[in-house]
Amino acid sequence: MNKQVIKLKDICREPKLTSSEPLKDGYDKYIGLEHIDSNSLTLSRWGSVAQDKPSFTRVFKKGHILLGKRRPYLRKAAIASFDGICSGDIIVLEANESVVDPELFPFLIHSNTVWSHAIKTSSGSLSPRTKFKDLGQVEFSLPDLVGQKMLANDLLNIQRNRISVEQQIEATSQLISSLLQKTCGSLGKYSPTDNLDERCSKGSVVVRLKDILVKVSRPVKLSDDTEYGTVVARRAFGGVEAREVILGKNIKVKSQFEIREGDFLISKRQIVHGGCGVVPKSLTGSVVSNEYDVFNAKDGLDMSFFAWLVKTPRLRNYFFINSVGIHIEKMLFKTEHWLNMPIILPPIAMQRTIAKSLNELDSFRRLQFGKIDHLEEIKTHLLSE
């Protein structure tokens, strides 16, 4: 298939329509950067001109592309599904339909080629911005309009599949939240006067965290020429992940400790943000500084169950009330205070059943995220051919 190299400025234009009285001109909705989701072509929210009275004057029409020019690394661009006004930090783009298929155009705008160029040409240190003049120099190798239509159809099918997978992810996430709340939501104290003994069902026991967790310390004597794997406990209960491999002589904090599979890791400066998780087998032998607390489970506790339990609102609150500091980004975790907090602990068999059900749902959800990654790889390949 013959292709032609065409610059972005030749396949679209920047219509500079304005309205000083949007409501009078029939524009009752507005779009700010906060209304555009990263990596999404769809607008799912907007603001009311009558309620919020924004100072925006830039007009867009249904079908235009709204591209965020501020902080282009956020990859914000969406198809307008209505007429309205928008922020000056948004570039309005209209396809030249004599040159580019209108259904293909949004995918070109959301391509890695465009975003890479936008990031490279943006200026400003704190809040970098790109310009249409610079974006216009991006080049695409495109077939004729018939070939573009075929490519657009393939990309639209990928997009529909992605939406379907995203709906499955959302439904699974809601099911996980519901099951977690039903099985574990009432196992912690909701107020200082809450009496757990009164709510403790037959077979369960009231314990303090120090009764079921043991703090472990495995000091490592660093060798200058030995490489050590480091980890990070992601916020929002994102789990424990590999960071970088560093030579011992390049590790600034010399007080390091080994972690092993099954350890429960708490980042003392990030725990109010959910920075904790169970160490996977692949990270056994990695090291952490004393900025982390490391725990093992005592008899009677399933660590996989505990990793789910701490995600409930009541146990998350335990992390917060046992941290001190004025600024939330600088709060420090008081481990010993936290270990004195009480919970209702179900029998070990029930813990394992709960953890198994939640883990299976989470595995299914992760599988769906993998499908999205695969669809994105196919889309990138089609756009780069």
Side-chain angles (χ1 to χ4, degrees):
M1 185 182 295
N2 293 328
K3 292 188 176 183
Q4 180 182 2
V5 175
I6 308 175
K7 289 187 176 182
L8 179 65
K9 67 186 178 81
D10 297 320
I11 65 173
C12 69
R13 69 183 189 92
E14 183 184 14
K16 296 187 176 180
L17 305 174
T18 59
S19 172
S20 57
E21 297 182 86
L23 284 176
K24 184 177 178 181
D25 292 337
Y27 304 117
D28 60 348
K29 300 183 183 71
Y30 75 90
I31 294 295
L33 285 178
E34 69 275 14
H35 299 122
I36 305 177
D37 293 321
S38 296
N39 297 305
S40 176
L41 285 169
T42 305
L43 281 177
S44 57
R45 58 191 180 279
W46 48 83
S48 166
V49 174
Q51 282 185 336
D52 301 335
K53 298 179 175 58
S55 59
F56 307 153
T57 60
R58 183 166 299 173
V59 169
F60 63 84
K61 298 290 186 178
K62 182 177 180 180
H64 284 166
I65 301 296
L66 307 180
L67 185 147
K69 66 180 180 180
R70 181 159 60 95
R71 299 194 181 105
Y73 55 82
L74 295 176
R75 299 171 67 105
K76 290 191 172 191
I79 305 170
S81 51
F82 50 81
D83 296 352
I85 57 172
C86 66
S87 163
D89 278 326
I90 291 174
I91 300 174
V92 180
L93 300 174
E94 180 181 31
N96 178 356
E97 296 187 17
S98 66
V99 178
V100 67
D101 182 89
E103 291 186 321
L104 175 63
F105 179 59
F107 292 104
L108 296 177
I109 293 299
H110 246 305
S111 65
N112 290 334
T113 302
V114 168
W115 290 123
S116 296
H117 189 81
I119 293 168
K120 185 171 66 175
T121 59
S122 59
S123 58
S125 55
L126 294 178
S127 189
R129 288 171 170 81
T130 189
K131 300 176 183 177
F132 177 68
K133 177 181 67 175
D134 295 321
L135 290 178
Q137 300 305 310
V138 175
E139 294 183 338
F140 300 100
S141 180
L142 298 176
D144 59 22
L145 288 173
V146 174
Q148 289 182 35
K149 171 59 74 175
M150 294 170 61
L151 177 57
N153 286 337
D154 289 339
L155 292 169
L156 286 168
N157 282 330
I158 291 173
Q159 186 70 12
R160 282 189 281 268
N161 285 334
R162 175 175 179 142
I163 291 171
S164 176
V165 174
E166 287 174 340
Q167 289 172 342
Q168 291 184 41
I169 291 173
E170 178 60 26
T172 305
S173 296
Q174 290 179 6
L175 182 56
I176 288 173
S177 296
S178 176
L179 181 58
L180 181 61
Q181 182 60 29
K182 183 178 180 180
T183 57
C184 303
S186 61
L187 300 183
K189 295 188 73 167
Y190 63 83
S191 73
T193 58
D194 181 23
N195 191 329
L196 295 185
D197 290 302
E198 292 179 353
R199 295 192 287 102
C200 187
S201 60
K202 185 177 180 180
S204 298
V205 291
V206 175
V207 298
R208 295 190 182 277
L209 293 175
K210 65 182 179 182
D211 299 325
I212 57 174
L213 294 171
V214 57
K215 191 174 178 182
V216 296
S217 176
R218 309 182 190 97
V220 174
K221 186 176 180 181
L222 298 179
S223 172
D224 284 351
D225 298 322
T226 300
E227 291 186 330
Y228 296 90
T230 61
V231 303
V232 60
R234 294 291 182 195
R235 289 186 174 197
F237 301 96
V240 180
E241 295 182 358
R243 202 169 185 177
E244 56 187 333
V245 176
I246 312 176
L247 281 173
K249 63 183 178 183
N250 295 328
I251 296 178
K252 294 180 181 178
V253 179
K254 298 304 179 183
S255 179
Q256 296 288 323
F257 304 86
E258 182 188 11
I259 57 173
R260 298 174 185 170
E261 178 186 8
D263 288 345
F264 187 77
L265 205 60
I266 289 179
S267 171
K268 290 187 282 187
R269 292 191 181 275
Q270 296 295 330
I271 193 56
V272 291
H273 303 290
C276 63
V278 177
V279 176
K281 183 178 181 179
S282 61
L283 296 181
T284 291
S286 298
V287 297
V288 295
S289 71
N290 56 12
E291 290 288 313
Y292 285 87
D293 280 333
V294 185
F295 297 96
N296 280 168
K298 293 183 180 180
D299 290 343
L301 175 67
D302 180 84
M303 193 61 92
S304 182
F305 165 80
F306 186 74
W308 283 106
L309 177 62
V310 296
K311 297 178 183 180
T312 62
R314 292 184 186 180
L315 268 292
R316 290 175 68 170
N317 189 49
Y318 281 11
F319 289 134
F320 187 79
I321 63 177
N322 289 290
S323 298
V324 295
I326 299 174
H327 195 289
I328 194 167
E329 293 296 335
K330 297 180 180 179
M331 295 184 78
L332 187 61
F333 187 52
K334 295 297 184 181
T335 309
E336 297 307 316
H337 293 178
W338 176 74
L339 286 170
N340 277 314
M341 299 300 292
I343 64 165
I344 296 172
L345 186 68
I348 189 70
M350 185 180 295
Q351 294 176 42
R352 288 169 178 159
T353 298
I354 291 170
K356 183 174 183 291
S357 298
L358 290 167
N359 286 337
E360 286 176 351
L361 286 171
D362 190 50
S363 293
F364 176 78
R365 180 171 59 180
R366 290 174 185 273
L367 184 63
Q368 304 315 302
F369 277 117
K371 289 181 180 179
I372 287 181
D373 291 341
H374 182 58
L375 289 171
E376 286 302 304
E377 289 174 2
I378 296 173
K379 185 174 77 174
T380 299
H381 175 70
L382 289 174
L383 286 168
S384 62
E385 279 191 323

